[in-house]
Amino acid sequence: MSLPHAILTALLEKPSSGLELTRRFDRSIGYFWSATHQQIYRELGKLEQGGLIRALPSERPARGQKKEFEVLPAGRAELAQWASREQESKPIRDALLLRLRAAAVVGREGLDDELRRHLAVHRRQLTQYEAIESRDFAAAADPEDRLRRLVLRAGIGLETFWVAWLEEALAEVGDIGDTETGGRPGA
Amino acid sequence: MSLPHAILTALLEKPSSGLELTRRFDRSIGYFWSATHQQIYRELGKLEQGGLIRALPSERPARGQKKEFEVLPAGRAELAQWASREQESKPIRDALLLRLRAAAVVGREGLDDELRRHLAVHRRQLTQYEAIESRDFAAAADPEDRLRRLVLRAGIGLETFWVAWLEEALAEVGDIGDTETGGRPGA
DNA sequence: AGGCATTCTGCAACAAGGTGCAAAATACTG
DNA sequence: CAGTATTTTGCACCTTGTTGCAGAATGCCT
């Protein structure tokens, strides 16, 4: 539903080829809206066909040949229209939480290893976000950058939350294991 | 990928019919793994066919007739096995953040209304979670409940984060509008 | 009993996301 | 220049999630 708009936004920030977009979806925009290169190419095709973007003219258009896209006025209008519509915020969908709930009925085998693994991942991500913030947004400047910084700060806040929660969870799970009757290992 | 395991977990907590499951997916489990009734019926069919669950015998099995399911040993084994496997935590996918990013290039028309709307939603959800916590988990009891409480606390933490971030965002967007050159309204 | 709403189950079609694979151009290497 | 790797684009297919609709049992109302 939103992939086309993610692409339009990315292309407005900077006209790009499919592969360049893919790279940018591995950073930046991809931090809150991920997409694979096949999704991106498919969507570029649709957007071009719909007259929302166009390929910049190149000498020899061919299959393995790089193709750059830019947003047409219709595309910008569509994005503006989408952005001013109401959006439903869809509920949480988190496998780790589901897993905890499952652990409550089938045992906590390997649970703390998993929690530790996730903790490491979120700590790393948090560090990376913080590096980006102090590198790119040291001095809050124009309105555009202030909005982008706001988005980044959401990422930082979320990762901060997960780190804190995972630490709490590890302590709790450890404590459950300790206090369990007879010291039976969790299972 | 995880819906069958969500259903197995729910059925282990309490054998249920499709509609009862649907109701429980609107609360409880649904707070972190939502599903519609069609998904649930489809999956129940597959799980039954795969020998992981079975329908409790009823006098007159027929189409509009209630059908209760319980988990078979194979189902419990599958769930235990899934729960002890490593899970990839998939990245954030949030339309509101994407929208902010879009607003940076096409204008902030109606942005603060949207932020306010989301703020109200998250505040309400937070209140509800907190009510559940003090109602159901006032005294932390057996290991199962302690794990379920941990899951609930993740929900509380996430909603708390969103409320804080949305308040920050509203202040920031308001400030951008104020300081913009010549007092031009945000667009 | 007839009619109507509700409960409960389910099909069919569609939309979106993801995986695997491959073809065409280009760059590198001996 | 032949062979191999990389870059860039793309197709076909599969899974997951969503929407719309409908059939069958049940209970209620008059």
Side-chain angles (χ1 to χ4, degrees):
Chain A
M1 195 54 145
S2 304
L3 179 58
H5 304 104
I7 291 178
L8 286 172
T9 304
L11 286 180
L12 277 171
E13 290 175 349
K14 181 179 179 317
S16 309
S17 69
L19 199 59
E20 278 163 16
L21 276 179
T22 304
R23 300 254 162 78
R24 292 170 61 199
F25 271 78
D26 287 339
R27 315 175 267 111
S28 178
I29 301 207
Y31 289 144
F32 52 90
W33 201 277
S34 62
T36 64
H37 71 113
Q38 286 86 349
Q39 277 176 279
I40 290 169
Y41 281 113
R42 196 190 314 170
E43 205 60 48
L44 282 173
K46 284 187 201 167
L47 288 170
E48 190 182 18
Q49 201 142 18
L52 302 189
I53 63 175
R54 66 165 190 143
L56 292 181
S58 88
E59 301 102 53
R60 209 159 14 109
R63 186 171 164 118
Q65 191 73 321
K66 190 164 152 180
K67 209 158 86 177
E68 291 230 307
F69 291 94
E70 69 173 6
V71 178
L72 294 172
R76 177 181 282 268
E78 162 59 31
L79 182 62
Q81 217 257 312
W82 172 81
S84 63
R85 270 203 301 272
E86 290 193 354
Q87 312 281 333
E88 293 310 314
S89 67
K90 71 168 176 29
I92 311 170
R93 211 79 172 312
D94 191 289
L96 184 61
L97 296 181
L98 182 55
R99 209 198 135 159
L100 270 168
R101 195 75 180 223
V105 286
V106 297
R108 304 186 302 283
E109 200 63 46
L111 184 57
D112 43 357
D113 279 352
E114 183 80 347
L115 292 174
R116 265 188 283 274
R117 225 169 45 81
H118 281 252
L119 180 55
V121 169
H122 288 292
R123 279 201 178 123
R124 181 149 21 88
Q125 189 66 63
L126 178 55
T127 306
Q128 194 185 346
Y129 284 162
E130 281 169 340
I132 294 174
E133 186 180 32
S134 53
R135 173 162 53 80
D136 295 355
F137 299 100
D142 44 314
E144 288 77 22
D145 274 350
R146 289 175 77 178
L147 287 176
R148 292 195 193 100
R149 182 186 194 177
L150 214 42
V151 174
L152 181 59
R153 290 195 58 76
I156 290 176
L158 280 169
E159 296 301 336
T160 301
F161 154 74
W162 281 113
V163 167
W165 180 82
L166 283 163
E167 283 168 349
E168 180 188 340
L170 272 166
E172 183 80 4
V173 170
D175 190 58
I176 293 175
D178 287 346
T179 59
E180 203 150 25
T181 50
R184 181 185 68 210
Chain B
M1 194 55 144
S2 303
L3 178 59
H5 304 105
I7 292 179
L8 287 171
T9 303
L11 286 181
L12 278 170
E13 289 175 349
K14 181 176 179 318
S16 308
S17 69
L19 199 59
E20 278 164 16
L21 275 178
T22 303
R23 299 255 163 77
R24 291 170 62 199
F25 271 79
D26 287 338
R27 313 175 270 111
S28 182
I29 301 207
Y31 289 145
F32 53 91
W33 202 277
S34 61
T36 63
H37 73 113
Q38 287 86 350
Q39 272 178 282
I40 289 169
Y41 281 114
R42 195 194 312 174
E43 205 60 47
L44 282 173
K46 284 188 199 164
L47 288 170
E48 189 181 20
Q49 199 143 19
L52 302 189
I53 63 175
R54 68 167 188 141
L56 292 181
S58 87
E59 302 102 53
R60 209 160 14 110
R63 184 172 166 119
Q65 192 74 322
K66 190 164 153 180
K67 207 158 87 177
E68 290 231 307
F69 291 94
E70 68 174 4
V71 179
L72 294 172
R76 177 181 282 268
E78 163 59 30
L79 182 61
Q81 218 256 313
W82 172 82
S84 63
R85 270 202 302 272
E86 291 193 355
Q87 314 279 334
E88 293 311 314
S89 68
K90 69 167 177 27
I92 311 169
R93 212 84 173 308
D94 191 289
L96 183 61
L97 296 181
L98 182 56
R99 209 197 135 160
L100 270 169
R101 194 78 179 222
V105 287
V106 298
R108 304 187 302 283
E109 199 63 46
L111 184 56
D112 45 357
D113 280 351
E114 183 80 347
L115 292 174
R116 265 188 284 274
R117 224 169 45 83
H118 281 252
L119 181 54
V121 169
H122 288 291
R123 278 201 178 125
R124 182 149 20 89
Q125 189 67 62
L126 178 55
T127 306
Q128 193 183 349
Y129 285 162
E130 280 169 341
I132 294 174
E133 187 180 30
S134 53
R135 172 161 52 80
D136 295 354
F137 299 102
D142 45 312
E144 288 78 21
D145 273 352
R146 288 175 76 178
L147 287 176
R148 292 195 195 100
R149 181 185 194 179
L150 214 42
V151 173
L152 181 60
R153 291 195 57 77
I156 290 175
L158 279 170
E159 297 301 336
T160 301
F161 154 74
W162 280 114
V163 167
W165 180 83
L166 283 163
E167 284 168 348
E168 180 189 340
L170 272 166
E172 183 79 4
V173 169
D175 190 57
I176 293 175
D178 288 346
T179 60
E180 205 150 24
T181 51
R184 182 184 65 210

